[in-house]
Amino acid sequence: MTRKKQRRIHTLSLKEQIRKEPGLFAVYILLRTSIILVMIAQILNKDWQNAALCVFTLFLFTVPSFIEKNWHIDIPNTLEVIILVFIYAAEILGEIRAFYVKVPGWDTALHTITGFLSAAVGFSLVDIINRNENTKLYLSPIYVAVASFCFSMTIGVIWEFFEFSADMLFNLDMQKDTIVHSIHSVMLDPTNSNKAVTIAGITEVSVNGQDLGRGGYLDIGLIDTMKDLFVNLIGALVFSIIGFFYIKGRGNGRFAKRFMPTLVSKKENAE
């Protein structure tokens, strides 16, 4: 097959995809254009780190289509749109536009969505095995739901490991500090009897004689990490319950299908 013919076939398939999925294509073009404009602005400002982050975001945008094309997995349009918007919200708005700091609850919302989507992916992996006619294995709905929940929580824990490692190795603050007004620590017990000593009503803290000026004590990441894992748990639990009733209904739930990648059969792939 000549290159000219290959390009022609690719163009025809692209036009067919746009015709079938105009909403997805519009979201993709809109977000991609916005990223390119942000990248140009960062280059003009000589902020090479943010410019590189824009390039990385553009790369992430190609991952869903790469998976569909090379691994023969169909990603539902709803899930793909959420993934694209999520990437944009995390990298462009969260990092470059500093929404993690400026918008209360931004990080919490993204971690909740991550828990929900990770559970959907984990659920799909197990459900594909359940539906495969070549496997002599059938897992009960409750088992699949628990497996998807555990998969999501594992993803959440691994991500927190990544944040902690980045903070330790590169002096970042991915595990955001939290202002607290009381601390409870056995390290403050002069008798070394393993009893927590409480210091309450903290309104100012100084380090090496420098006032931090934040109105309280800085918790270095622990509260943020546990909050992230807790909201991840909520998102994972919500989809696990949805997935449980999806299997109980013999796969007739339309809502769950919007978030579940599926394998494309050889016949469908050939078409």
Side-chain angles (χ1 to χ4, degrees):
M1 184 183 295
T2 64
R3 290 185 178 180
K4 185 176 181 180
K5 190 174 182 179
Q6 287 178 334
R7 287 196 299 267
R8 187 177 178 184
I9 292 174
H10 177 72
T11 302
L12 290 174
S13 63
L14 181 60
K15 289 182 178 179
E16 181 66 16
Q17 185 177 2
I18 294 173
R19 186 184 67 82
K20 289 182 178 179
E21 304 168 348
L24 174 61
F25 181 75
V27 170
Y28 181 83
I29 293 298
L30 180 64
L31 294 180
R32 190 179 180 88
T33 301
S34 176
I35 294 169
I36 292 174
L37 293 176
V38 172
M39 182 173 63
I40 293 173
Q42 301 309 310
I43 293 174
L44 293 176
N45 291 331
K46 296 183 179 181
D47 191 332
W48 309 118
Q49 181 176 345
N50 282 345
L53 185 59
C54 290
V55 174
F56 178 66
T57 305
L58 290 173
F59 166 75
L60 291 179
F61 267 41
T62 66
V63 172
S65 59
F66 176 84
I67 292 175
E68 286 187 315
K69 183 178 180 181
N70 294 277
W71 295 355
H72 309 306
I73 294 177
D74 177 49
I75 301 177
N77 289 349
T78 300
L79 177 60
E80 190 164 352
V81 167
I82 292 176
I83 290 174
L84 296 177
V85 173
F86 179 88
I87 294 172
Y88 184 85
E91 303 299 333
I92 304 301
L93 298 180
E95 295 291 347
I96 296 179
R97 303 300 299 172
F99 275 30
Y100 288 130
V101 178
K102 296 178 181 178
V103 180
W106 189 261
D107 183 60
T108 300
L110 293 183
H111 275 281
T112 306
I113 295 172
T114 299
F116 184 90
L117 297 183
S118 297
V121 173
F123 189 94
S124 300
L125 295 175
V126 181
D127 191 54
I128 286 172
I129 298 175
N130 249 8
R131 292 171 174 268
N132 193 333
E133 297 178 355
N134 297 323
T135 59
K136 299 180 180 179
L137 178 67
Y138 177 77
L139 303 175
S140 67
I142 187 65
Y143 187 95
V144 178
V146 171
S148 67
F149 174 82
C150 293
F151 178 86
S152 177
M153 292 305 300
T154 300
I155 296 297
V157 170
I158 291 175
W159 177 256
E160 293 302 324
F161 285 166
F162 169 76
E163 287 190 346
F164 175 79
S165 300
D167 290 349
M168 293 296 101
L169 295 175
F170 304 109
N171 298 324
L172 301 177
D173 187 21
M174 295 187 70
Q175 294 179 300
K176 297 294 187 288
D177 299 337
T178 304
I179 301 295
V180 295
H181 299 286
S182 63
I183 56 176
H184 318 275
S185 174
V186 297
M187 296 293 292
L188 301 175
D189 179 15
T191 63
N192 294 324
S193 56
N194 199 36
K195 294 182 179 179
V197 174
T198 297
I199 299 180
I202 301 174
T203 57
E204 58 181 86
V205 173
S206 62
V207 177
N208 293 334
Q210 179 182 352
D211 184 10
L212 298 183
R214 302 297 294 179
Y217 175 77
L218 282 179
D219 171 83
I220 52 175
L222 175 61
I223 293 177
D224 178 75
T225 296
M226 297 311 298
K227 177 199 66 181
D228 291 345
L229 291 176
F230 182 73
V231 296
N232 190 106
L233 179 148
I234 293 175
L237 184 62
V238 169
F239 189 87
S240 297
I241 293 173
I242 293 172
F244 171 80
F245 288 105
Y246 170 78
I247 294 183
K248 288 285 287 185
R250 300 183 182 276
N252 295 321
R254 293 183 179 180
F255 181 79
K257 288 181 179 180
R258 293 174 178 266
F259 304 94
M260 294 174 56
T262 55
L263 280 177
V264 179
S265 65
K266 293 182 179 180
K267 182 179 179 180
E268 291 175 324
N269 189 55
E271 294 175 354

